């Protein structure tokens, strides 16, 4: 972490990643796919439950796609980034805790609560990302962004390790069985997320706005600004090409993250071994994300992203031919080396292409494309699996997205120089 910036503010901002990453690890990537397949979807086939899981991920992401740019524009006009983050964060926290009360076989209710939880998680990230422009100076952006992701891997991994221990030895914690341990884990995730949201709420300041707006004025101004920015994105080649490239390659990355455990279960691997593999990814991801931030500051964010895309292409082919749990462990380590890096460098690279006074709106588009990718990717994996009768072909389809995203990224100026601030028209 850089020495010449406000360390307390940076740490407070990054601790939100430490807190909400528990949802990404324990719920999204870890326990929910396994519990959904083995507990809430009992009696359905593996490919059918994979389709339901992909549909829940896809529909929840679609909601964020629709809301993110509009709310981002309104937040910029009214100075509401922190407030919107808190609203979405609390939604995710509440839905996560509610999963603990869903009974066996109630896959529809579980899907609905999970989907709303994903909306809260993903929606809060829009405004969390936007706050980075007020947390640190431009030259420190790669390292601070990577620091946030690194803390996320560590924090999410620590709670996940405790939750795994609870499920493997429920009697040690006074629990009846593994199912009760999983349900308690959902409650612990909600508490963890809430607790580590408080430093950001208390210490991170809302970036200043040009002029105060009433609620109605902010909505009108935000919608006008949204239309205006769509026009400016079309005119600004660097932003346009990056967003298109990001849309494609992050589709593959998010799909691999969300569907990896479900894929392992479909191949017949032991669920306990898959959870251990996820833990490996988390703890490899912590130092790897920090190292990737340093690498990005040396060779450039664009080069770092392209290296990660190449690694993901190799990983996807490897997963297609995978036969054993040991090979899944190798995959977990490899993904951990680049997962946080590609996300952190993408965020910092994009932050240099956009006007800081409209960070909420532009990061709304950024997250919109990321979540729109997550609409298609998981559904595609599930649909191809049902169509072919094999989950292997579904996971292989993401290679096309990685290749296309990498080729488009080559068109973007590698220096990541920021465009001049956009003119603001008052309405």
């Amino acid at each position: 972490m850089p020495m010449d910036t406000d360390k307390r503010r940076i740490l407070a901002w990054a601790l939100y990643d430490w807190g909400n990453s528990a949802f990404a690890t324990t719920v999204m990537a870890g326990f929910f796919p396994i519990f959904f397949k083995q507990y809430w979807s009992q009696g359905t086939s593996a490919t059918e439950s994979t389709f339901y899981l992909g549909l829940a991920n896809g529909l929840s992401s679609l909601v964020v796609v629709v809301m993110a740019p509009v709310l981002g524009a309104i937040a910029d006009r009214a100075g509401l980034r922190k407030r919107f983050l808190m609203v979405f964060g609390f939604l995710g926290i509440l839905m996560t805790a509610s999963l603990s009360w869903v009974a066996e076989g109630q896959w529809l209710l579980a899907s609905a609560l999970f989907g709303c939880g994903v909306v809260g998680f993903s929606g809060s990230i829009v405004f969390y990302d936007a706050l980075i422009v007020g947390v640190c100076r431009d030259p420190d952006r790669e390292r601070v962004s990577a620091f946030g992701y690194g803390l996320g891997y560590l924090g999410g991994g620590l709670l996940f390790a405790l939750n795994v221990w609870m499920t493997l030895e429920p009697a040690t914690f006074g629990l009846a069985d593994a199912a009760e341990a999983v349900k308690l884990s959902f409650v612990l995730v909600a508490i963890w997320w809430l607790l580590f949201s408080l430093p950001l709420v208390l210490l991170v300041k809302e970036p200043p706005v040009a002029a105060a707006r009433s609620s109605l004025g902010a909505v009108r101004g935000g919608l006008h600004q949204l239309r205006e920015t769509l026009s400016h994105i079309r005119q600004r080649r660097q932003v346009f090409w990056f967003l298109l490239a990001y849309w494609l390659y992050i589709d593959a990355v998010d799909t691999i993250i969300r569907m990896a455990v479900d894929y392992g279960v479909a191949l017949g691997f032991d669920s306990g071994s898959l959870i251990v593999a996820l833990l490996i990814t988390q703890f490899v991801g912590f130092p790897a994300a920090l190292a990737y931030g340093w690498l990005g500051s040396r060779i450039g964010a664009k080069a770092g992203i392209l290296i990660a895309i190449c690694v993901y292409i190799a990983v996807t082919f490897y997963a297609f031919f995978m036969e054993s749990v040991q090979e899944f462990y190798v995959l977990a380590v490899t993904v951990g080396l680049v997962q946080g890096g590609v996300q952190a460098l993408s965020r910092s690279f994009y932050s240099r292409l956009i006007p800081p006074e409209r960070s909420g709106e532009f990061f709304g588009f950024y997250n919109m494309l990321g979540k729109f990718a997550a609409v298609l990717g998981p559904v595609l994996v599930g649909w191809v699996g049902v169509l072919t009768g094999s989950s292997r072909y579904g996971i292989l389809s993401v290679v096309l997205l990685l290749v296309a995203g990498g080729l488009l990224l080559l068109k973007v100026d590698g220096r990541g120089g920021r465009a001049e601030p956009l003119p603001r028209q008052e309405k």
Side-chain angles (χ1 to χ4, degrees):
M1 187 170 59
M3 300 297 293
D4 54 351
T5 51
D6 187 340
K7 292 182 180 180
R8 283 204 316 159
R9 196 167 61 229
I10 290 173
L11 180 60
W13 176 81
L15 280 174
Y16 185 75
D17 218 327
W18 172 290
N20 74 7
S21 289
F23 178 84
T25 53
T26 296
V27 182
M28 287 178 64
F31 287 170
F32 188 86
I34 293 174
F35 212 55
F36 186 77
K37 190 176 288 289
Q38 298 180 348
Y39 185 81
W40 287 318
S41 297
Q42 274 196 346
T44 61
S45 67
T47 53
E48 191 177 0
S49 62
T50 295
F51 176 73
Y52 291 149
L53 177 62
L55 195 62
N57 272 304
L59 290 176
S60 59
S61 297
L62 183 61
V63 173
V64 180
V65 166
V66 173
M67 293 191 303
V70 176
L71 293 180
I74 294 169
D76 287 341
R77 286 281 172 137
L80 295 173
R81 296 176 185 91
K82 276 181 61 177
R83 193 169 300 177
F84 280 161
L85 182 150
M86 292 163 60
V87 169
F88 278 98
F90 183 73
L91 172 65
I93 290 166
L94 182 62
M95 295 299 102
T96 302
S98 298
L99 284 171
S100 64
W101 295 305
V102 180
E104 184 176 1
Q106 295 185 326
W107 66 267
L108 184 59
L109 177 59
S111 298
L113 293 176
F114 174 71
C116 290
V118 172
V119 169
F121 171 79
S122 302
S124 71
I125 293 296
V126 172
F127 305 101
Y128 170 71
D129 285 348
L131 287 171
I132 193 174
V133 299
V135 167
C136 65
R137 300 182 305 117
D138 192 306
D140 299 322
R141 207 63 60 75
E142 275 84 17
R143 284 176 290 175
V144 170
S145 183
F147 179 64
Y149 274 107
L151 276 193
Y153 279 112
L154 185 59
L158 287 173
L159 184 62
F160 190 34
L162 173 62
N163 292 335
V164 170
W165 184 16
M166 287 167 47
T167 60
L168 295 177
E169 299 183 25
T172 303
F173 297 86
L175 302 172
D177 52 27
E180 188 174 339
V182 170
K183 290 185 176 184
L184 178 59
S185 296
F186 293 143
V187 175
L188 292 179
V189 167
I191 294 171
W192 185 273
W193 187 353
L194 177 63
L195 180 64
F196 289 104
S197 299
L198 297 179
L200 182 147
V201 174
L202 297 174
L203 298 177
V204 175
K205 296 180 180 179
E206 178 75 35
V209 294
R213 292 298 188 96
S214 65
S215 298
L216 183 59
V219 171
R220 289 174 176 171
L223 291 173
H224 170 73
Q225 184 176 314
L226 178 59
R227 292 193 299 270
E228 187 180 296
T229 303
L230 279 170
S231 175
H232 281 288
I233 285 176
R234 289 195 298 267
Q235 296 169 15
R236 293 171 182 270
R237 285 186 166 292
Q238 300 303 311
V239 175
F240 176 79
W241 287 120
F242 175 79
L243 286 174
L244 190 56
Y246 175 76
W247 176 18
L248 293 170
Y249 72 72
I250 211 66
D251 177 291
V253 172
D254 283 352
T255 299
I256 290 170
I257 293 170
R258 295 189 184 199
M259 305 300 287
V261 168
D262 182 87
Y263 178 63
V265 172
L267 294 183
F269 297 162
D270 174 68
S271 60
S273 299
L274 297 176
I275 293 299
V276 171
L278 274 183
L279 277 174
I280 292 172
T281 300
Q282 289 302 117
F283 290 110
V284 170
F286 170 60
L290 298 180
Y292 231 94
W294 175 87
L295 179 66
S297 68
R298 294 298 184 273
I299 68 173
K302 177 181 172 180
I305 295 169
L306 288 170
I307 290 171
I309 289 174
C310 291
V311 172
Y312 267 108
I313 291 172
V315 160
T316 306
F317 277 108
Y318 183 85
F320 178 78
F321 294 104
M322 187 168 53
E323 296 288 350
S324 68
V325 171
Q326 289 72 26
E327 291 174 316
F328 197 90
Y329 289 154
V330 173
L331 185 147
V333 171
T334 307
V335 168
L337 290 173
V338 295
Q339 182 173 295
V342 70
Q343 294 168 321
L345 294 187
S346 296
R347 179 168 62 189
S348 62
F349 187 68
Y350 182 66
S351 72
R352 285 196 170 89
L353 297 174
I354 64 174
E357 72 275 9
R358 291 185 174 181
S359 62
E361 176 187 351
F362 272 81
F363 268 108
F365 275 95
Y366 175 82
N367 283 278
M368 177 192 74
L369 292 178
K371 298 308 176 285
F372 186 63
V375 172
L376 300 177
V379 173
L380 178 64
V381 169
W383 179 74
V384 172
V386 170
L387 189 66
T388 63
S390 171
S391 298
R392 295 181 186 272
Y393 289 100
I395 207 70
L396 189 63
S397 65
V398 301
V399 169
L400 293 175
L401 301 170
L402 288 164
V403 171
L407 291 175
L408 286 172
L409 185 62
L410 291 172
K411 299 172 69 69
V412 182
D413 183 358
R415 294 168 297 177
R418 176 176 290 137
E420 290 299 314
L422 298 175
R424 187 184 294 274
Q425 299 178 10
E426 302 298 333
K427 292 289 177 181

